[in-house]
Amino acid sequence: MTPEETRKMIDHLDESRTGRPSPSPEQLIDRDPQAAQEWYYLNLAVDAVRNAGLHEQVAFIKENLRKEQNAPAKPAHTEQYIAVPANQPTKPAAERSSGAIIRSISKYSLRAAAFILVITSSTVLYKYLTVSSSSLYERYFGAYNLNTSRGETTESPIVQAYDTKDWNKVIALAGATGARDNQVEFLAGMADLQLNRCDDAITHFEQVIAANAQASTDFYQDEAEYYLAISWLACKKVNQAMPILEKIKADPHHQYHQKVAEMSFFDLRLAQYKENK
Amino acid sequence: MRAQEQYTDVELIAAISAGRELNEAIRFIYRQYSQATSSFIMQHGGSEQDADDIFQETVVAFIEVVQKGKYRGEASVKTFLNSIARNYWFNEIKKRDRSGLRDKQFELSRDKNEADVSHYISEMERKRQLRELVDQLGESCRKVLLLFYYENLSMKEMVEHLPYDNEQVVRNKKYKCLQALAGLIKDNPAIARQMQEILK
């Protein structure tokens, strides 16, 4: 068999596919046993290729079905087999179907992200409109209850007035006291705070802190620091309150550490942002 | 295209014969028949992978039989697939040298009314050997031959899918690849024996 004869035979085989075979190789096949054998092998080769293609197509569909069965949700579309797509010759299933999955995942992710964005945006907008230093003051202000176990056997008039919530009397008694200790100063500050006199309250609490700093003591120190921050909130000055609250939050031994740790610093910073605008 | 095709046997055979909706037909066959066949194979010494491979070979064989017009409809599609899959599996067991187990299991499960499908089984085995030779060709030749003989693309269309400049280069490549495959087949001892028997 010459190469030219083999070529003609292959052309004949290909034309047979389309129903237009040329007659000349048929005569060759009929009269030459070697040509008949060659013809047989060429036909086997074509059969083998077709079988390989079909095998690949079935494998592709099977793999796709398996992925669909394992997927949590129904896929957006069914992958169709194309035996040899452009630039992805013979093993396209994994690449093309993974592309579909990635597209599906991306679609769901985008929907989820959009949903989260809407929720987050709504929450932030709501917070922005509602959060203020005043609202924070109302949220975090709590009345101070005197601890009588501090060693006092007999309650002083100012303590009695405080216990009975007579805020004006507390203030009057504190003003009448010549040398005020930290307790008197603090209670006076709390009474002012109860009467919404935040500026006066701030003065009393700062006085407690200054006295402790001067005497190297800590009498009513933690209480003064906490309520000083609360007083700044009451006076709508979050910028002044924040450093004190952050200091308390950073100090696990501070008496008001837990209380401050439970505060929303997001809301505090939002109020601070609004204040600085 | 419908989301999930349902076919009667007649419709399925018609769809495969006409070469239309082949993807959907394959999907239907898998959805409808793979479970029972897989269970049978796993109950008879096969692994899940064995069941998977056997059913895939069965589907390929079935489609080829239908496309060549050799499916006579004497048995239902389900019975035909089951017969092919069972016999192919027992043939596989035999190859794995577990003949005692095979004979016992085969006789226990054999349907006395089952059609003789031995010629299909030997044909499937021969096709499997040939397919291995296609895999030996190398990726570029495999691609060229699949595009032409399975996808039925023209030379012009093939140029778009291949890294060759023009149709003549693709045509030459196809000649060489087909001759190379024919050569591999000729040199394969098992297939050469079959050839000698045919030429006797």
Side-chain angles (χ1 to χ4, degrees), chain A residues 16-69:
Chain A
S16 300
R17 280 190 326 135
T18 57
R20 293 178 282 106
S22 52
S24 56
E26 279 184 5
Q27 295 162 4
L28 179 68
I29 293 161
D30 287 343
R31 69 168 190 266
D32 182 354
Q34 198 187 351
Q37 190 174 340
E38 189 71 20
W39 176 250
Y40 172 80
Y41 284 124
L42 287 172
N43 273 286
L44 271 185
V46 171
D47 274 356
V49 171
R50 287 176 179 160
N51 180 265
L54 180 58
H55 196 267
E56 194 171 287
Q57 182 169 2
V58 171
F60 173 82
I61 303 293
K62 176 184 73 177
E63 193 57 34
N64 248 8
L65 272 170
R66 185 173 294 153
K67 283 176 183 169
E68 284 173 25
Q69 284 161 1

Side-chain angles (χ1 to χ4, degrees), chain A residues 224-242:
Chain A
E225 285 177 350
Y226 177 73
Y227 281 101
L228 175 61
I230 297 295
S231 301
W232 282 122
L233 290 179
C235 285
K236 300 178 183 171
K237 291 185 177 170
V238 190
N239 282 329
Q240 277 72 18
M242 281 299 281

Side-chain angles (χ1 to χ4, degrees), chain A residues 3 6-8 10-11 13-14 17 36-38 40-42 44-62 64-66 68-69 74 78-91, chain B residues 1 3 22-24 26-27 30-31 52-53 56-57 59-60 63-64 67-68 126-127 130-131 134 139 142-143 145-153 160-161 168 172 174-175 178-179 181-182 185-186 191-192 194-195 198-199:
Chain A
T6 305
R7 279 206 167 211
K8 277 185 180 171
I10 291 173
D11 287 341
L13 182 67
D14 295 348
R17 280 190 326 135
Q37 190 174 340
E38 189 71 20
Y40 172 80
Y41 284 124
L42 287 172
L44 271 185
V46 171
D47 274 356
V49 171
R50 287 176 179 160
N51 180 265
L54 180 58
H55 196 267
E56 194 171 287
Q57 182 169 2
V58 171
F60 173 82
I61 303 293
K62 176 184 73 177
N64 248 8
L65 272 170
R66 185 173 294 153
E68 284 173 25
Q69 284 161 1
K74 192 179 175 184
T78 302
E79 286 285 297
Q80 294 297 304
Y81 175 81
I82 304 164
V84 192
N87 305 321
Q88 293 294 332
T90 53
K91 291 175 183 171
Chain B
M1 189 184 69
L22 188 55
N23 285 341
E24 273 311 307
I26 295 168
R27 290 169 67 85
Y30 262 92
R31 284 198 309 267
D52 196 59
D53 293 343
Q56 185 175 338
E57 294 290 347
V59 173
V60 171
I63 292 170
E64 285 192 329
Q67 286 180 336
K68 287 179 178 172
R126 191 175 68 93
K127 289 283 175 68
L130 287 170
R131 203 166 56 238
V134 176
E139 201 55 35
R142 197 174 185 276
K143 181 175 181 177
L145 294 179
L146 277 169
L147 284 172
F148 189 77
Y149 290 108
Y150 189 69
E151 287 296 302
N152 294 320
L153 296 191
E160 295 169 15
H161 293 274
Q168 189 54 48
N172 289 339
K174 182 187 73 70
Y175 280 133
L178 191 64
Q179 285 181 66
L181 181 57
I185 294 169
K186 203 183 299 179
I191 295 169
Q194 291 170 16
M195 182 67 189
I198 290 167
L199 294 176

Side-chain angles (χ1 to χ4, degrees), chain B residues 136-198:
Chain B
Q136 285 177 27
L137 272 181
E139 201 55 35
S140 63
C141 262
R142 197 174 185 276
K143 181 175 181 177
V144 167
L145 294 179
L146 277 169
L147 284 172
F148 189 77
Y149 290 108
Y150 189 69
E151 287 296 302
N152 294 320
L153 296 191
S154 67
M155 287 293 157
K156 189 179 176 183
E157 289 167 325
M158 285 171 71
V159 172
E160 295 169 15
H161 293 274
L162 296 165
Y164 304 119
D165 293 335
N166 57 56
E167 294 174 36
Q168 189 54 48
V169 176
V170 174
R171 188 172 285 108
N172 289 339
K173 177 81 178 169
K174 182 187 73 70
Y175 280 133
K176 285 179 185 172
C177 291
L178 191 64
Q179 285 181 66
L181 181 57
L184 283 174
I185 294 169
K186 203 183 299 179
D187 295 340
N188 185 276
I191 295 169
R193 271 197 305 276
Q194 291 170 16
M195 182 67 189
Q196 283 166 5
E197 284 175 16
I198 290 167

Side-chain angles (χ1 to χ4, degrees), chain A residues 123-132 135-136 139 270 274:
Chain A
T123 307
V124 170
L125 182 64
Y126 173 77
K127 288 243 178 227
Y128 186 80
L129 294 173
T130 57
V131 167
S132 67
S135 69
L136 290 171
R139 192 191 304 173
L270 192 60
K274 284 174 75 175

Side-chain angles (χ1 to χ4, degrees), chain A residues 251-265:
Chain A
D251 179 4
H253 303 295
H254 197 283
Q255 194 178 327
Y256 288 83
H257 168 78
Q258 190 58 37
K259 211 179 237 306
V260 172
E262 289 168 3
M263 288 181 173
S264 168
F265 273 70

Side-chain angles (χ1 to χ4, degrees), chain B residues 83 86 103-116:
Chain B
S83 298
R86 286 173 184 216
D103 292 342
K104 189 181 169 190
Q105 288 180 337
F106 185 81
E107 290 310 319
L108 282 173
S109 63
R110 189 178 173 85
D111 179 353
K112 299 299 177 192
N113 298 319
E114 201 169 82
D116 180 14

